[in-house]
Amino acid sequence: MALTIRDAYDLMHRSCMALAEAEQAGFRLDVDRAITSQKHLTRQIDRLEHNLMTTDLVKAWRAKYGALMNFAANDQLGYILYEHFGAKQMRVTASGKGATDEAALEEAMEQIDKPEVAQLLKVRKLKKLRDTYLEGFLREQVNGYIHPFYNLHIVVTYRSSSDCPNFQNIPKRNKEAKKATRDILFARPGHLLLEADFSKLEVVIAACYHKDPNMLKYLTSNSSDMHGDLAKQIFFIKNLNLDDPTHDTLRSASKNGFIFPQFYGDYYGNNAAGLCQWAKLPQHPLWKSTEGLEMPDGSTLAEHFAKNGIYGFNDFLEHMKKIEKHFWGVRFAVYQKWKDKWLHAYQKKGYFDTLTGFRCSGVFRKNQVINFPVQGSAFHCLLWSFCKVNEIAKERKWRSRLIGQIHDALIMDVHPDELQEVIEVVKWVTTEALLKEWDWLIVPLQIAIEFGEVDAPWSQMKKWKG
DNA sequence: TGTTCATGG
DNA sequence: TATCCATGAACA
């Protein structure tokens, strides 16, 4: 039976209460280290800004703006880079000014040969850590615990959001930023942290909507590799060897520069530009033989492309156009048909219903219509699991409890004696009970579990094997 | 208050 | 055709 708005309401109501219990429990913060770390960051920032004062860039900046000169004023920085020093604007913002984000600054830095721009970026990152994360933790902490909120009534897709402080965007990718933040967050004394993430959740949920046989094959066979297959096609590689660092980079490039953007509704023109960044190739009509990543045989990617008839960006653009056509016209043709049908039905009705029973009604763009149901339903898998684990934790009077949630992951504060049992329950709920509960889930779900040592911070998690 | 930047999924 | 969803800080 299809789920109804009543099922959706019940899920929201139960979840609201389960999340409130996690909010009440909270996440332990080492307040002293947060304060010490803030002071250390301030010293670093002051030193960097002091050293920057004598550089060409900042001398010109101060000459123009005098006492109003401000490191955090991107309008000013844009003027100095693009007007004063004449760097070419590679990209503009929504309002038409030259972009000054990290990628834009790196390009400008090369062009006008001003290495001090890297120090500006460094300052920006340190201020983010100090003023957004550490300051937020300290502002919100009560007796050494932060109590992030989880909202269910805000996000247009029926996902959650989190605030005060936001627990869903704490640094993870950058090593230094991860250490500055996650290193001071802990489970209760004598407990350990456990994190359980659904693997490829949005791709799996999309497949439950469109049921494309080729996608179902990718998701159910252990030996197939969608990102690897596209890497081979895009970069003309016969055998992809993931132990080779360049091949591994090319696989990441295909995943993050083509496949995911395509799923969100991007097109080959943007993909070609993005892939060039990954592959270290310029957007020039003719590539030099010295350009591009170094391939396993010692040649460059430019040479490798030339052997396959791609001599520069224009050729590559045409190549990507064909790959996109094959991607949606052949490889995932059923997925494409679902997108067309789903969009058409929305345009007739003005709304659509998700597999989890929610109704999305309003004026939406094409990509939103395609992506909302997937994003929402994926989160609802996590949410249902969250409620179920919480229910079992209370029934069994565990000392372990749920303390947070990040879209496709749940975070627990676990008593070491209960670790085995908690893992068994989490696995059972997420990979068995959930599939029994919702018959629209036609693809098996996988969960990846990480855990820490007793009293170890959130920055130090290890994979659970078994 | 809107824009731009950084962070996460 | 033209990348989905968020929060938060700082500037103008």
Side-chain angles (χ1 to χ4, degrees):
Chain A
M1 274 291 282
L3 295 176
T4 65
I5 201 101
R6 172 68 209 218
D7 299 303
Y9 175 78
D10 283 344
L11 177 64
M12 277 193 112
H13 195 148
R14 291 188 298 124
S15 305
C16 190
M17 295 191 286
L19 288 166
E21 289 178 37
E23 289 167 2
Q24 188 170 28
F27 209 121
R28 182 159 67 99
L29 173 74
D30 187 328
V31 173
D32 291 341
R33 278 185 59 201
I35 293 168
T36 309
S37 180
Q38 268 196 321
K39 286 182 184 151
H40 180 67
L41 285 165
T42 296
R43 281 197 299 275
Q44 269 182 288
I45 292 162
D46 288 349
R47 195 180 322 126
L48 282 163
E49 289 189 340
H50 181 257
N51 292 341
L52 272 163
M53 285 303 182
T54 55
T55 62
D56 277 1
L57 184 91
V58 176
K59 275 195 244 168
W61 194 340
R62 291 174 75 194
K64 170 75 185 166
Y65 291 98
L68 295 175
M69 182 264 167
N70 182 343
F71 281 112
N74 290 318
D75 282 1
Q76 296 180 3
L77 177 56
Y79 180 86
I80 296 302
L81 292 174
Y82 300 122
E83 302 297 326
H84 182 85
F85 286 110
K88 194 173 161 236
Q89 290 179 12
M90 301 302 290
R91 204 157 31 83
V92 291
T93 63
S95 65
K97 287 176 291 193
T100 54
D101 61 12
E102 184 171 9
L105 289 194
E106 274 165 0
E107 283 182 11
M109 173 168 69
E110 292 289 318
Q111 275 185 46
I112 62 173
D113 191 30
K114 292 279 175 285
E116 58 265 37
V117 171
Q119 302 308 304
L120 282 175
L121 280 167
K122 181 81 185 164
V123 167
R124 215 188 245 176
K125 283 181 190 286
L126 297 178
K127 283 183 176 169
K128 177 75 173 174
L129 292 176
R130 183 190 62 181
D131 300 337
T132 298
Y133 295 107
L134 298 183
E135 187 67 22
F137 293 166
L138 289 168
R139 183 175 59 239
E140 299 295 341
Q141 66 88 20
V142 179
N143 299 328
Y145 284 79
I146 55 170
H147 301 269
F149 289 96
Y150 298 97
N151 310 299
L152 293 177
H153 63 294
I154 302 247
V155 180
V156 58
T157 60
Y158 296 102
R159 239 199 196 183
S160 69
S161 71
S162 170
D163 57 22
C164 299
N166 184 350
F167 186 70
Q168 295 177 323
N169 71 348
I170 297 173
K172 188 172 190 179
R173 297 164 195 173
N174 178 277
K175 206 178 159 190
E176 191 188 0
K178 178 180 177 180
K179 185 148 174 61
T181 49
R182 295 184 183 225
D183 214 41
I184 55 173
L185 290 167
F186 300 84
R188 288 165 165 60
H191 286 213
L192 59 91
L193 290 168
L194 182 141
E195 189 166 347
D197 295 53
F198 281 110
S199 312
K200 305 180 253 185
L201 186 59
E202 283 201 16
V203 180
V204 167
I205 298 311
C208 294
Y209 279 91
H210 59 67
K211 304 187 176 80
D212 186 292
N214 289 331
M215 182 65 85
L216 293 176
K217 243 180 266 169
Y218 274 127
L219 292 173
T220 50
S221 135
N222 290 323
S223 55
S224 67
D225 176 12
M226 175 170 56
H227 303 304
D229 285 356
L230 261 295
K232 289 194 218 168
Q233 197 184 357
I234 293 167
F235 299 107
F236 302 98
I237 296 167
K238 284 199 184 69
N239 298 302
L240 198 72
N241 172 18
L242 294 181
D243 295 328
D244 177 77
T246 302
H247 278 191
D248 192 56
T249 301
L250 295 179
R251 184 181 179 279
S252 299
S254 109
K255 176 180 174 181
N256 299 310
F258 180 74
I259 294 182
F260 281 141
Q262 282 285 332
F263 285 167
Y264 288 135
D266 204 356
Y267 89 123
Y268 70 90
N270 278 338
N271 300 153
L275 287 166
C276 280
Q277 294 254 327
W278 277 89
K280 301 204 186 302
L281 286 165
Q283 289 175 50
H284 293 153
L286 201 62
W287 290 329
K288 293 178 204 149
S289 63
T290 52
E291 289 173 325
L293 293 172
E294 189 185 334
M295 301 300 282
D297 66 1
S299 66
T300 65
L301 188 55
E303 290 173 315
H304 176 76
F305 267 131
K307 274 187 246 162
N308 292 281
I310 309 283
Y311 298 99
F313 186 70
N314 296 348
D315 295 336
F316 185 56
L317 203 60
E318 285 307 304
H319 174 57
M320 290 312 300
K321 186 176 181 177
K322 284 183 207 145
I323 288 187
E324 186 192 76
K325 196 167 155 53
H326 179 266
F327 191 78
W328 292 113
V330 180
R331 192 187 293 275
F332 296 131
V334 175
Y335 193 162
Q336 177 63 51
K337 285 208 184 75
W338 173 80
K339 291 199 292 183
D340 294 340
K341 268 178 61 183
W342 186 264
L343 180 65
H344 187 248
Y346 162 74
Q347 286 169 338
K348 282 195 94 159
K349 295 182 298 186
Y351 67 86
F352 53 85
D353 293 328
T354 71
L355 288 170
T356 43
F358 289 77
R359 175 160 295 185
C360 299
S361 184
V363 180
F364 305 129
R365 286 185 296 275
K366 176 177 146 184
N367 287 341
Q368 294 181 308
V369 174
I370 303 303
N371 289 319
F372 282 11
V374 175
Q375 189 178 96
S377 303
F379 171 65
H380 299 144
C381 291
L382 185 281
L383 200 56
W384 188 91
S385 307
F386 193 98
C387 291
K388 193 73 182 171
V389 170
N390 192 49
E391 204 178 279
I392 294 170
K394 288 199 285 187
E395 266 170 25
R396 301 194 186 181
K397 299 189 168 33
W398 281 352
R399 286 163 286 183
S400 308
R401 60 185 83 181
L402 285 151
I403 56 171
Q405 163 270 122
I406 314 179
H407 309 303
D408 65 353
L410 49 83
I411 292 93
M412 299 185 71
D413 175 313
V414 176
H415 189 283
D417 293 350
E418 296 168 353
L419 180 60
Q420 288 287 343
E421 187 184 348
V422 168
I423 288 176
E424 277 167 30
V425 165
V426 167
K427 274 191 180 171
W428 174 76
V429 168
T430 54
T431 63
E432 294 185 43
L434 179 58
L435 257 79
K436 286 204 187 82
E437 176 74 13
W438 284 339
D439 58 12
W440 58 267
L441 269 170
I442 57 166
V443 182
L445 290 172
Q446 290 189 332
I447 198 92
I449 293 175
E450 293 190 313
F451 69 107
E453 300 281 351
V454 171
D455 294 326
W458 197 22
S459 57
Q460 296 170 23
M461 303 286 274
K462 303 165 294 185
K463 285 194 170 68
W464 174 266
K465 290 172 185 153

